[in-house]
Amino acid sequence: MDYENYKISIIVPVYNVEKYLRQCIESILSQTYKNYEIVLIDDGSQDGSSVICDEYSMKFQNIKVSHIKNSGSSNARNVGIDMSKGEYLMFLDSDDYIMPNTLSSLLEKALKEDLDLTVGKRWVTWFK
């Protein structure tokens, strides 16, 4: 099965996460699976998050950005769904990041087992 033919749209609602946003986006850009688009929905951020979104969208063709009036993460995800072109959707919070093989692992599992939904493991790191 040729996995590379499936596009994944990664929807990231963004609201005042300037401190974490670069790490989130960089973790997506470092994926081993390369057929994806990143859909950043700036939900009316008041910090530097909007600038970071625009910076990455100008640098990478596979990153789209929409700036909307603050209306909550559910609405931001819905806007992202409307903008998405992928056969598969992934939602990622803007203060989280993913491991380099996340997209390939989830897609392979979905295709091999004919799944409509996959959920990845979660790691929590506590800092003192």
Side-chain angles (χ1 to χ4, degrees), residues 78-108:
N78 288 333
V79 170
I81 290 170
D82 290 342
M83 291 175 60
S84 296
K85 301 294 184 205
E87 288 85 14
Y88 286 91
L89 299 176
M90 177 180 184
F91 298 102
L92 183 62
D93 289 340
S94 52
D95 60 349
D96 291 337
Y97 61 92
I98 54 178
M99 302 306 291
N101 68 337
T102 299
L103 296 182
S104 60
S105 296
L106 292 175
L107 180 61
E108 182 178 352

Side-chain angles (χ1 to χ4, degrees), residues 33-93:
Y33 187 83
K34 298 298 183 189
N35 191 6
Y36 63 84
E37 66 178 354
I38 302 171
V39 182
L40 302 171
I41 308 301
D42 173 31
D43 191 26
S45 294
Q46 301 298 310
D47 63 359
S49 298
S50 298
V51 173
I52 294 170
C53 289
D54 290 340
E55 173 189 316
Y56 274 93
S57 71
M58 291 185 339
K59 191 173 180 182
F60 297 95
Q61 290 183 336
N62 63 335
I63 298 180
K64 301 177 187 178
V65 176
S66 179
H67 299 280
I68 63 173
K69 182 180 176 183
N70 181 255
S71 53
S73 60
S74 294
N75 184 63
R77 285 184 183 96
N78 288 333
V79 170
I81 290 170
D82 290 342
M83 291 175 60
S84 296
K85 301 294 184 205
E87 288 85 14
Y88 286 91
L89 299 176
M90 177 180 184
F91 298 102
L92 183 62
D93 289 340

Side-chain angles (χ1 to χ4, degrees), residues 111-127:
L111 293 173
K112 279 186 177 179
E113 298 187 27
D114 194 29
L115 301 174
D116 292 328
L117 175 70
T118 60
V119 178
K121 290 182 180 180
R122 179 178 168 216
W123 286 274
V124 177
T125 304
W126 296 98
F127 295 98

